Amino acid sequence: MLRIREAIVVEGRYDKNTLSQVVDTLIVETAGFGIFRDGEQMELLRQLAQKRGLIVFTDPDGAGFVIRNRIKSAIGSQYLKHAYVPDIMGKERRKARPGKEGKLGVEGMTPSVLEQALRNAGATVLGEEDGPACDLALTKADLMAMGLAGTPDSGARRAALLKEFGLPRQMSVNALLQYMNTCCTEKELEAVLAAIKA
């Protein structure tokens, strides 16, 4: 079990239950879109973020990105880290049918996928050395030069890159840029770009 310094915010209790089997830290639920109505809950998240850091870990569907963006707009980015699970089609065991977009959420992921997502987000694992050095400082201009933004086929290239990284297809260009700068080394990025060219 990973012991991490940051608190984690998830959408619901099933996400929390699944994640608590992988990580030992404070996990807070938003009650889905309840975060939009609950000022006290948002204040709690703000305080946790300032005191120990906060990892936003929502589902890879449209609703998850809306909740993620609400938290991003209310809390300074210097206090946030973002964990993403890949787009995997299916349904959670407890549900009669898949969700609206047909993707598994946090609760449907295996422990190894959840752990990797937290490590990729830059979670501070207590008792371990610092994580891998991420040596990128990319800008949007760099993404344009790589053909990942601003060109007619950049959407397709970006989708292939997101797939190679195991990230949700709906990630914005800004979120991708943040991910690359905080979770990738130059060598890893070169390997992924070579793979999508081939």
Side-chain angles (χ1 to χ4, degrees), residues 58-62 64-65 68 84-92 101-106 108-109 113 117 158-171:
T58 58
D59 292 346
D61 58 9
F65 277 91
R68 181 182 298 274
Y84 297 96
V85 291
D87 284 339
I88 299 175
M89 304 311 279
K91 74 170 191 65
E92 282 80 11
E101 295 179 31
K103 299 176 187 175
L104 289 176
V106 171
M109 297 293 156
V113 169
R158 212 169 36 255
L161 182 81
L162 290 168
K163 186 174 182 179
E164 281 293 318
F165 278 134
L167 296 170
R169 186 181 58 209
Q170 289 179 280
M171 257 177 108

Side-chain angles (χ1 to χ4, degrees), residues 27-104:
I27 303 171
V28 181
E29 306 165 36
T30 67
F33 288 121
I35 194 71
F36 286 88
R37 298 181 302 277
D38 193 341
E40 291 178 1
Q41 177 83 335
M42 187 59 80
E43 183 56 32
L44 169 66
L45 294 178
R46 191 176 289 113
Q47 289 179 21
L48 286 171
Q50 291 172 356
K51 288 180 182 169
R52 57 191 287 186
L54 185 67
I55 298 174
V56 183
F57 207 165
T58 58
D59 292 346
D61 58 9
F65 277 91
V66 169
I67 293 166
R68 181 182 298 274
N69 289 332
R70 171 68 177 119
I71 294 168
K72 270 173 44 175
S73 70
I75 300 173
S77 61
Q78 71 270 29
Y79 302 114
L80 297 177
K81 295 179 179 177
H82 294 275
Y84 297 96
V85 291
D87 284 339
I88 299 175
M89 304 311 279
K91 74 170 191 65
E92 282 80 11
R93 194 176 304 174
R94 70 178 177 86
K95 294 181 179 177
R97 56 184 174 272
K100 185 177 176 183
E101 295 179 31
K103 299 176 187 175
L104 289 176

